[in-house]
Amino acid sequence: MKIGIGNDHVALEYKLRLKEYIEEKYDIEVIDYGTSSTKRFDYPISAQRVSQAVINHEVDRGILICGTGVGMGIAANKYPGIRCVTCSEPYSAKLSREHNNSNVLSFGSRVVGIEVAKMIIDEWIQAEYEGGRHQKRLDMLESHNLSKL
Ligand code: RB5
């Protein structure tokens, strides 16, 4: 599996620690689309790079980290085909995979402690989409279906 990771200036150090955590624990290549500087870096840029990498199948999934995870989540969900979950605990991360087939995860380096972030990532990486009754709802989210609801 390949995961694209992105960050803004706030989350640089935090991103590096989590990238290392994922690569050491899993057989996953983590491709870095974020900034490697602590100079101000606008989160929509990282969100766009990672979202497009997911849409273009350069990577299977994406992780986005800023101060709160909120800006990243708002930005990522503007791209059709992206289902980004912004969360601060592992239960929602797991269920977002099983029920919502989330393909991007965002969270905040100023909100979530690094050990909780690892738990969130573990659940999100390991959980699988269940399909079945959930697929109809995901189909309803596709932009061409929204006007028909
Ligand atoms: C940067 O100050 C901050 O706005 C950003 O990291 C993020 O929290 C936005 O949602």
Side-chain angles (χ1 to χ4, degrees):
M1 197 205 291
K2 285 185 187 173
I3 290 181
I5 200 164
N7 62 290
D8 69 359
H9 54 290
V10 171
L12 173 60
E13 199 58 43
Y14 188 92
K15 183 256 327 249
L16 293 173
R17 289 175 68 184
L18 292 175
K19 181 176 185 290
E20 185 179 272
Y21 173 74
I22 295 167
E23 287 173 335
E24 281 181 2
K25 181 161 179 176
Y26 297 98
D27 183 23
I28 289 176
E29 184 184 351
V30 182
I31 302 174
D32 194 344
Y33 294 89
T35 181
S36 53
S37 162
T38 52
K39 280 191 190 155
R40 279 194 184 165
F41 186 88
D42 299 328
Y43 62 80
I45 297 171
S46 284
Q48 181 183 43
R49 288 178 187 164
V50 170
S51 298
Q52 286 183 339
V54 172
I55 290 163
N56 297 336
H57 304 290
E58 287 166 37
V59 295
D60 301 288
R61 297 195 221 161
I63 294 177
L64 292 167
I65 314 163
C66 59
T68 59
V70 172
M72 288 291 199
I74 291 170
N77 279 319
K78 292 206 173 281
Y79 297 90
I82 295 299
R83 292 173 301 279
C84 178
V85 57
T86 302
C87 70
S88 53
E89 38 71 34
Y91 180 77
S92 298
K94 176 178 159 73
L95 270 287
S96 80
R97 288 286 308 134
E98 293 177 352
H99 291 192
N100 314 109
N101 199 11
S102 63
N103 50 12
V104 176
L105 166 69
S106 77
F107 47 83
S109 64
R110 288 173 169 161
V111 178
V112 178
I114 196 86
E115 295 306 320
V116 176
K118 291 175 187 173
M119 294 172 81
I120 290 171
I121 285 172
D122 285 340
E123 294 291 350
W124 189 75
I125 284 176
Q126 291 171 31
E128 291 295 337
Y129 176 50
E130 290 175 355
R133 71 187 191 279
H134 304 296
Q135 188 54 46
K136 177 183 164 226
R137 295 154 187 167
L138 292 196
D139 291 342
M140 291 167 81
L141 292 176
E142 294 300 316
S143 54
H144 62 275
N145 282 329
L146 288 177
S147 58
K148 298 183 201 151
L149 296 180

